[in-house]
Amino acid sequence: MVKIEILALVLISLVLLDSISALPGGFHQIKNLKDPHVIEIAEFAVKEMNKSIRIATSKLKSIDQGSYQVVAGTRYRLHISTINIPDVGPRKYEVVVFEKLRSHDKQLVSYKPIDA
């Protein structure tokens, strides 16, 4: 009986430790950059960048790295590569997108070119 209780405590501890990474505070690495929601966030950022420069010639090529922060929603910081049409080669950007917790409304907070 004691072994079952210890096993239950260990399992509960593991679940709690896993959920700590989603607590408010610092940025945490995104483990799966191919997650459909992460791709949606990156595509949203590219679309908003295109709007801000009044041309629609950039398309998402890849997500190179990413992190998130939980703050009354989720703030995503992604390093992305884009392809421009007509193709002038890939460009790399750091984008920050904030997604509201309940409504899932998104806002492009910032974007800046980064060195390749």
Side-chain angles (χ1 to χ4, degrees), residues 45-57:
V46 172
K47 182 179 93 175
E48 293 299 304
M49 287 169 40
N50 284 338
K51 281 183 191 177
S52 74
I53 56 176
R54 299 180 193 267
I55 57 172
T57 61

Side-chain angles (χ1 to χ4, degrees), residues 66-101:
S67 56
Y68 69 96
Q69 178 185 38
V70 177
V71 284
T74 306
R75 183 182 318 264
Y76 295 90
R77 183 173 52 201
L78 305 173
H79 286 197
I80 62 171
S81 295
T82 63
I83 293 179
N84 298 307
I85 312 227
D87 187 20
V88 294
R91 296 188 179 176
K92 296 185 179 280
Y93 296 93
E94 178 182 89
V95 298
V96 177
V97 174
F98 178 73
E99 181 178 37
K100 291 183 181 176
L101 184 62

Side-chain angles (χ1 to χ4, degrees), residues 29-75:
Q29 180 181 356
I30 296 173
K31 295 176 183 163
N32 181 7
L33 297 175
K34 296 190 185 295
D35 180 281
H37 189 69
V38 175
I39 294 169
E40 176 186 333
I41 296 294
E43 288 175 341
F44 170 81
V46 172
K47 182 179 93 175
E48 293 299 304
M49 287 169 40
N50 284 338
K51 281 183 191 177
S52 74
I53 56 176
R54 299 180 193 267
I55 57 172
T57 61
S58 293
K59 294 197 179 225
L60 180 66
K61 178 183 176 197
S62 64
I63 303 169
D64 304 319
Q65 69 182 50
S67 56
Y68 69 96
Q69 178 185 38
V70 177
V71 284
T74 306
R75 183 182 318 264

Side-chain angles (χ1 to χ4, degrees), residues 2-27:
V2 172
K3 289 182 181 180
I4 292 174
E5 291 171 352
I6 292 173
L7 180 59
L9 286 173
V10 168
L11 289 174
I12 290 170
S13 298
L14 289 174
V15 168
L16 290 174
L17 284 174
D18 188 45
S19 66
I20 285 175
S21 67
L23 292 176
F27 278 89

